[in-house]
Amino acid sequence: MAGHAAGAPYDRTVATCGIVDLPPSWIEQTRPGGVILATLGGWMYSSELARLTVHEDGTASGRFLGGQISFMLARPQQPPPLGTLPDLDQGNERQALLGADADADADALNDWNTRFVAQLAAPRTQRITLDRDGRTEHVLIDVNAGSWAALTETDGAWTVRQGGPDRIWDAIEDHVNRWREHGAPELDRFTVSGR
């Protein structure tokens, strides 16, 4: 993730791995006006190819190119081991505004673009699916923060239980619903920036 400072500055930096955070060293090693091409995503594994231009002030910005591009994440940006799962029967429970099923109109986890927007709200969150007590649970866990959310569906209605210091599903619903209120624009309309 440190790049190759000995040959810098570069006109182009192209990453053939996925990243969660744009390494500052890549910006530092790309000359102003130069381009960084990198696949950006999160730990829920929805990603897009981004083309960023480096600016004189040491920042970079650009747009996603679209097309649902993915690469294996760079080793330093892999998610941490899940460890022991939290007690999913605990936490605060409420009716969920969004579900996790690909067949539902309000799903947030199985549609590529919707999942990308969801992980903007929770980029360090991992997703697993469990079959427990005769039902499928969609579990989101932020290991480092100690936060989690578990979604279940019964007769078409979704329930979420959340625990830890952050309410992961509250943040995801807020992001996804605001995106949808603006017409659910394609990801190639998003602006990306880094420093």
Side-chain angles (χ1 to χ4, degrees), residues 106-184:
D107 78 271
L109 297 180
N110 289 327
D111 173 71
W112 185 276
N113 288 358
T114 309
R115 188 169 67 245
F116 190 93
V117 173
Q119 74 187 6
L120 291 175
R124 304 274 181 217
T125 297
Q126 299 176 64
R127 175 189 177 199
I128 60 172
T129 303
L130 302 173
D131 289 320
R132 201 168 68 92
D133 300 329
R135 63 185 182 181
T136 300
E137 283 189 299
H138 302 268
V139 181
L140 304 175
I141 301 174
D142 183 330
V143 172
N144 294 331
S147 298
W148 59 273
L151 287 105
T152 56
E153 183 264 336
T154 304
D155 298 327
W158 286 89
T159 301
V160 61
R161 284 181 315 285
Q162 301 180 88
D166 303 318
R167 294 295 178 251
I168 293 172
W169 199 248
D170 291 1
I172 287 173
E173 284 182 339
D174 180 61
H175 262 64
V176 170
N177 285 331
R178 280 190 292 132
W179 172 66
R180 287 178 173 171
E181 286 168 7
H182 288 90

Side-chain angles (χ1 to χ4, degrees), residues 20-82:
V20 177
D21 295 312
L22 183 66
S25 59
W26 294 4
I27 298 173
E28 293 164 5
Q29 294 173 28
T30 306
R31 77 176 74 245
V35 172
I36 299 171
L37 193 65
T39 302
L40 296 169
W43 291 342
M44 285 192 269
Y45 297 103
S46 179
S47 56
E48 287 293 332
L49 191 60
R51 183 182 189 275
L52 299 101
T53 301
V54 174
H55 308 293
E56 293 282 349
D57 64 359
T59 64
S61 64
R63 291 190 179 257
F64 292 116
L65 301 181
Q68 301 181 353
I69 304 299
S70 66
F71 276 112
M72 182 171 43
L73 283 173
R75 282 192 196 113
Q77 297 201 8
Q78 290 281 335
L82 289 173

